[in-house]
Amino acid sequence: MIFDNKPISEITDQDLINLIGDQEEDLQIDFKQLDYEKDSKKPEKHKYEICKDVAAMANAAGGYILIGVNENNRIAQEFFNIENAAGVAQRINDICLQYIKPRIPGLEVREYHLTQENKDLVIIHIPTNEMRPHGFTLNNTITNIFVKRYNDTIRDYPTDEMLEDYSQRSPTKPEELIINRIDELETKLIPIIRSFQRERMDSITPEDNALDVENYNELVRIMNLRFDEVISDEPYYRIFTLPKVLNPDAVSTEDQHIREILYDPPNRRRPAGFGVTGLYDQEVSQTREGINGRNLTGGEIILLKNGYFEVRCPIYNQFQRGWGSPQFAIPNSIKWLYPYVVIEFPVSFLRLVKDIYNESGIKSDIFIQQDYHNIIRYALPKGAPTHPTFGVFLHEESVYEKSDPIHFEKWVSNDFIPDHEAYGLVKHVYADFGISDIRAIPAFDENGYFILE
C-alpha cells in the first residue's frame, strides 16, 4: 500500500515529494488540487463528495486522499497551497463522523505543512478495516448510499459484495458492539459539542485571562477583541504569532535572556531604523499575562507567557514617511506606505519571534497573521526610493481601493525561516495592491532573503 498504511504523523516531506511525476492515482491514492468547494445552490454537494470519496476507499482497500496535489493523466504533478488547511481538515473530519456509518476505525484527517515546498496540504488517511460496508445518508436523502472504489474510479457497491462484506463484520464480538455504541453516542454528541464551542466563543470578552484558554482559536478571539477596542477607524498595522500547543508557562517573560532579546532584537538598525527595534526599558509593564510595552518607533509589543506575540503600530507612526529635504520630500497630503517599512516590519518581527521561541523551547507549529486595517486610498509605490533621504518616488504607484483589511494567515513549522515567511507576507501585500511583479519589491534577493541590513 502507498506509504505502507502508516499514520499521517509518520509521513515525511520526502514521501510526498517522491510522488510528483511518478505516482499514478489508483485504488489506494487519490489527488485533489483544491478543497471540496461549497455550492450555495447545492449546500449538500460538498458533503456528498467528501462522503463518497472517503466511504468508497474505506469499502475497498483503504488509502490516502491528498488535497493540494494536482494531477495530469492521473499522475501527480505539483503541490498547491490549501488556505486554512487546519480548518479544512476539521470540517472534513466532522462531516465524515456525522454522515458515514458505521464509523471508519482509525480515520485521520489532518493538515500537513510541506516544509520543503512551503505549502499546506490536507491528508485523509483511510486505514484498511473490517467494518465494511460503510454507507452515508445526507439530509436530503432517505436511504443509505453505498459506493466502492475500483482502481481510480468510484461505482455503486454491488449487492453481492456488500452482503459478503457485511456478513464478515457482523458485530458478534463485544468489542465491535462497543465500537458501534460509541459511534452512535458520538453522532449525538457532535452537534452538542459544536453548539457549546460556538456559545463559548460568543461569550469570550476582552477581559478574559488569555492564559486560561487552551484553544488557539479562543486566544485569537480574546486578542482580536482587545485590538478592536484600540483601533476604531484608525489605519493600523498588526502582526502576531502563537504556538499551536498553548502552555501558560511557555515563555518566561521575567527571564533576563528573554528581556535581552527584546531590548536588543535581531535586525535592529541603530539608532532607530524600522520594524521591531526593541522595547523602551522605561515603558515595559510586566502583567500577570506577560509583557506589554512600546518599541522605539511607536508600536506596541505584547508578549504573553503562553507564547502569543504581537506588534501593532498606527500607520502614521511608522509606515507613512515624508523625510528628507524639501526638494525630495513626499507631500504630506499623499496617503502612502513606505516600501521599506512594509518589508522590514515582518522581517524584523519574525526574526524576533524565532529567537524568542527558540530561547523558550517552543516546538509546536506556529500560526502567523498579518493585517493592514483602514488603508483605503493608500498608495504603495513600486520599487525603492529614488533618493537615500527617503525622497520622492518616480516609480509608478498603486492605490488600495478596498475598505476591507489586507489579511493573511498561515501555519508554519517551528523550524521556519523568518526571511522566507516574511517575503511571503510582503508579496501578499503587494498583490493586494495589484502589484504582481516581484521586481517591484526592494530589499530581498532572488532566494527570498532580506538584504537591507
Side-chain angles (χ1 to χ4, degrees):
M1 180 181 182
I2 187 73
F3 301 147
D4 298 322
N5 195 32
K6 59 187 175 184
I8 297 173
S9 60
E10 296 180 11
I11 295 175
T12 66
D13 280 15
Q14 196 59 50
D15 288 334
L16 293 166
I17 290 170
N18 288 342
L19 302 176
I20 301 301
D22 183 63
Q23 180 63 49
E24 185 177 16
E25 287 184 320
D26 58 22
L27 181 66
Q28 295 181 296
I29 193 162
D30 187 15
F31 303 125
K32 295 189 178 298
Q33 177 178 329
L34 303 173
D35 176 27
Y36 294 88
E37 294 184 3
K38 293 183 179 180
D39 187 337
S40 59
K41 297 181 179 179
K42 298 178 181 179
E44 298 293 300
K45 182 180 178 182
H46 74 289
K47 297 178 184 177
Y48 173 84
E49 294 297 330
I50 291 169
C51 293
K52 181 191 70 172
D53 290 346
V54 174
M57 197 169 278
N59 287 331
Y64 298 83
I65 301 173
L66 305 182
I67 303 175
V69 181
N70 184 33
E71 55 84 19
N72 185 26
N73 293 326
R74 298 167 49 199
I75 297 177
Q77 298 297 316
E78 58 183 322
F79 298 104
F80 282 78
N81 187 65
I82 301 299
E83 295 292 338
N84 188 25
V88 171
Q90 183 65 60
R91 175 170 54 84
I92 292 173
N93 187 65
D94 289 349
I95 289 171
C96 291
L97 287 175
Q98 184 171 356
Y99 296 110
I100 298 177
K101 305 301 170 191
R103 182 185 62 181
I104 301 171
L107 175 69
E108 292 183 284
V109 188
R110 291 181 54 184
E111 76 277 18
Y112 184 100
H113 181 67
L114 185 59
T115 303
Q116 292 188 40
E117 297 284 333
N118 194 26
K119 289 184 170 65
D120 294 325
L121 314 178
V122 173
I123 302 179
I124 306 173
H125 173 216
I126 303 104
T128 55
N129 73 92
E130 298 179 354
M131 295 298 290
R132 301 186 301 267
H134 300 276
F136 60 96
T137 305
L138 299 179
N139 295 338
N140 61 355
T141 58
I142 299 175
T143 58
N144 280 337
I145 300 170
F146 291 95
V147 289
K148 188 173 183 179
R149 190 174 178 90
Y150 297 88
N151 196 17
D152 65 330
T153 61
I154 296 174
R155 299 200 297 268
D156 289 340
Y157 206 156
T159 304
D160 56 340
E161 292 184 24
M162 189 163 56
L163 289 174
E164 180 180 354
D165 287 342
Y166 184 81
S167 66
Q168 294 178 2
R169 68 99 164 162
S170 182
T172 55
K173 299 178 182 179
E175 59 269 26
E176 292 178 354
L177 290 170
I178 292 172
I179 289 174
N180 281 357
R181 181 57 178 160
I182 292 174
D183 186 28
E184 294 173 7
L185 291 173
E186 195 170 62
T187 301
K188 296 177 181 178
L189 284 173
I190 285 177
I192 298 173
I193 293 170
R194 295 292 172 231
S195 176
F196 174 78
Q197 289 175 336
R198 286 193 297 271
E199 290 178 2
R200 165 62 187 155
M201 292 294 284
D202 291 341
S203 67
I204 287 175
T205 70
E207 290 73 31
D208 285 347
N209 187 345
L211 303 184
D212 288 342
V213 299
E214 298 179 357
N215 182 287
Y216 56 84
N217 286 317
E218 294 181 0
L219 177 57
V220 171
R221 171 72 170 162
I222 290 173
M223 302 311 291
N224 283 345
L225 290 173
R226 294 181 184 180
F227 180 69
D228 290 343
E229 292 182 336
V230 174
I231 180 175
S232 65
D233 295 325
E234 296 297 322
Y236 254 91
Y237 173 78
R238 183 190 188 204
I239 186 169
F240 67 83
T241 60
L242 69 156
K244 186 172 185 179
V245 179
L246 293 178
N247 175 354
D249 299 314
V251 180
S252 299
T253 55
E254 303 93 342
D255 184 86
Q256 185 60 31
H257 293 298
I258 298 295
R259 291 299 184 97
E260 288 174 358
I261 295 172
L262 287 171
Y263 293 143
D264 190 17
N267 204 46
R268 176 178 176 178
R269 292 201 280 128
R270 295 171 176 80
F274 301 122
V276 183
T277 52
L279 284 167
Y280 270 136
D281 192 10
Q282 299 88 345
E283 297 191 21
V284 177
S285 60
Q286 178 71 48
T287 68
R288 185 162 62 97
E289 294 179 338
I291 288 175
N292 190 300
R294 296 281 176 180
N295 68 5
L296 301 182
T297 50
E300 183 178 2
I301 294 180
I302 300 167
L303 174 61
L304 304 186
K305 295 178 181 179
N306 57 14
Y308 180 90
F309 200 178
E310 176 178 343
V311 169
R312 57 176 70 157
C313 181
I315 294 294
Y316 57 79
N317 275 12
Q318 180 73 357
F319 287 79
Q320 188 175 6
R321 291 293 189 188
W323 296 351
S325 54
Q327 66 267 34
F328 293 114
I330 294 177
N332 291 329
S333 60
I334 298 177
K335 297 193 301 183
W336 59 287
L337 301 180
Y338 191 70
Y340 286 159
V341 184
V342 172
I343 291 164
E344 196 163 349
F345 241 101
V347 171
S348 302
F349 177 72
L350 291 179
R351 288 183 180 181
L352 179 55
V353 167
K354 184 78 170 182
D355 282 11
I356 294 290
Y357 283 8
N358 281 347
E359 180 69 25
S360 303
I362 292 174
K363 300 297 184 183
S364 71
D365 289 350
I366 296 162
F367 181 74
I368 302 172
Q369 180 173 317
Q370 174 178 266
D371 299 292
Y372 285 83
H373 294 269
N374 302 321
I375 60 166
I376 185 170
R377 299 298 302 162
Y378 270 75
L380 178 62
K382 298 179 181 179
T386 59
H387 190 273
T389 57
F390 308 96
V392 295
F393 294 87
L394 300 180
H395 312 290
E396 181 184 354
E397 62 187 34
S398 183
V399 177
Y400 189 71
E401 300 286 3
K402 302 176 185 177
S403 58
D404 295 333
I406 293 180
H407 171 84
F408 185 76
E409 63 182 53
K410 72 174 300 184
W411 287 96
V412 299
S413 61
N414 71 298
D415 60 350
F416 72 96
I417 299 175
D419 287 19
H420 290 180
E421 299 303 334
Y423 192 32
L425 295 176
V426 171
K427 286 191 290 186
H428 178 81
V429 173
Y430 273 73
D432 265 27
F433 270 88
I435 304 173
S436 58
D437 187 354
I438 61 173
R439 292 174 298 180
I441 305 174
F444 282 99
D445 65 18
E446 65 276 9
N447 296 314
Y449 284 97
F450 180 71
I451 56 176
L452 187 67
E453 300 289 359

